[in-house]
Amino acid sequence: MRLFLSLLLLTPYFVFGQSPKNLKADVKLPKDPAYTSAPNGFPVFETAAQVVNSFNFARRQEEKQMKLPANSLGVLSLPENYNQLAPAERALLLTNQERTARAGVNYGGGKAAGLPLEALETHLNEVAQAHAADMTAHHFFGHTSHDGRTALDRITAQAVFGSKCYEFMSRAENIYMFCYYSSDKPVLQLPPFIVEQALFSWLYQDASVAWGHRETLLIQDKDASGGSGFHNNRGPAESEGFLGVGLATRADYGPCAKMPGYQRVGHVVVMNLVDPAADCRYSIP
């Protein structure tokens, strides 16, 4: 028998930028294996088809909640080689599909810009990966490192983002935890679509933290709260911002609650988002 538990946590910072309005309520998935392998409406994806079905279902629910024209958010489709992409590449692709799906959509305060993120950045991936490894190594789940550093501390400590190569945004990080329980020997392997689970949770099941993760992922020049965001002064004007992704897993991970008769494995996802300065030497894989 297997059980699942997922948890996400909002960074205690606030990021600024123009983005679509927040939802009025969480989108629960149908209790149907075509959408999720979990029995409780939360996203647990084992196939790319579940990812596509779930995100398209959520888009239709968003249209209904926000009184948008039917199908105004379009239909998600994934490239044929999607399963062969690295998790970070899939995270960027899916994040940008969700951002651009809202381009030109009017949520009541004008049309959303819907610009995609520019790229993954190698050094930012390293920052995210180091924090994911720190959480699993030291059995905690949070934005403050075991040595007391914040997300902004970790980003600006990286040489390429120090000094004048990072334009401050007051929210820098989303994190997600997924707990897997088994009565058999646990498998120390990341779930195949854990980044998609994290993205779905942040975009469509984020009411408990006032939709802060959603605002982070969809941020443009202004966010749903009216704050300022990306300067968009680097590279093509048709994109803005860098993404970094880190993943880690550990057996008997402390933040996962103990359940009698079951062994636990914890998986974590870290995503960092930055506004790069105009004239610095970044590394784009």
Side-chain angles (χ1 to χ4, degrees):
M1 181 180 293
R2 55 184 184 167
L3 299 172
F4 311 102
L5 174 66
S6 62
L7 178 67
L8 47 84
L9 186 64
L10 174 66
T11 179
Y13 313 121
F14 295 93
V15 71
F16 305 113
Q18 185 177 11
S19 67
K21 288 185 178 180
N22 297 324
L23 301 184
K24 298 177 181 179
D26 285 342
V27 174
K28 289 292 185 181
L29 291 170
K31 297 177 182 179
D32 182 331
Y35 297 91
T36 177
S37 296
N40 54 7
F42 291 105
V44 176
F45 303 138
E46 296 179 302
T47 68
Q50 288 178 320
V51 174
V52 171
N53 291 342
S54 293
F55 275 82
N56 283 326
F57 175 83
R59 289 186 185 187
R60 303 290 81 81
Q61 298 306 304
E62 179 170 335
E63 290 162 356
K64 292 177 182 178
Q65 284 192 28
M66 308 308 294
K67 295 181 169 50
L68 301 174
N71 299 314
S72 57
L73 298 182
V75 176
L76 173 68
S77 62
L78 301 176
E80 291 184 3
N81 69 335
Y82 186 77
N83 287 5
Q84 283 72 55
L85 298 177
E89 294 173 321
R90 300 201 316 266
L92 177 66
L93 187 153
L94 189 53
T95 297
N96 280 344
Q97 290 235 23
E98 288 296 295
R99 288 169 66 88
T100 58
R102 291 158 175 81
V105 176
N106 192 332
Y107 284 75
K111 294 181 179 180
L115 295 181
L117 299 175
E118 179 182 346
L120 294 164
E121 204 284 330
T122 301
H123 302 93
L124 195 59
N125 281 339
E126 293 171 356
V127 171
Q129 183 58 45
H131 187 53
D134 186 37
M135 285 193 285
T136 53
H138 294 93
H139 292 282
F140 74 95
F141 181 69
H143 293 284
T144 303
S145 301
H146 83 280
D147 59 4
R149 293 181 300 154
T150 67
L152 292 179
D153 291 335
R154 294 189 294 272
I155 291 170
T156 55
Q158 219 296 331
V160 75
F161 288 111
S163 184
K164 299 179 180 179
C165 289
Y166 170 73
E167 297 188 319
F168 176 78
M169 293 201 308
S170 54
R171 181 182 298 151
E173 182 175 82
N174 283 353
I175 60 177
Y176 169 87
M177 179 176 74
F178 178 66
C179 297
Y180 183 92
Y181 296 87
S182 175
S183 56
D184 304 318
K185 184 177 180 179
V187 178
L188 295 179
Q189 181 176 350
L190 283 163
F193 296 100
I194 191 168
V195 295
E196 291 82 357
Q197 293 174 198
L199 287 167
F200 188 95
S201 297
W202 292 331
L203 287 167
Y204 296 112
Q205 296 185 351
D206 205 39
S208 64
V209 290
W211 301 100
H213 298 98
R214 176 183 165 92
E215 290 193 17
T216 300
L217 291 176
L218 298 180
I219 183 173
Q220 302 283 335
D221 297 330
K222 290 185 178 180
D223 67 10
S225 301
S228 61
F230 287 114
H231 294 81
N232 198 12
N233 56 1
R234 172 199 145 76
E238 294 79 18
S239 63
E240 53 186 355
F242 285 149
L243 183 69
V245 180
L247 309 167
T249 186
R250 176 158 186 164
D252 203 32
Y253 181 46
C256 293
K258 291 184 177 181
M259 299 183 66
Y262 289 90
Q263 298 190 59
R264 57 183 176 171
V265 177
H267 310 283
V268 298
V269 178
V270 178
M271 289 191 186
N272 290 121
L273 190 70
V274 304
D275 186 9
D279 299 314
C280 290
R281 299 181 65 180
Y282 302 102
S283 176
I284 298 175

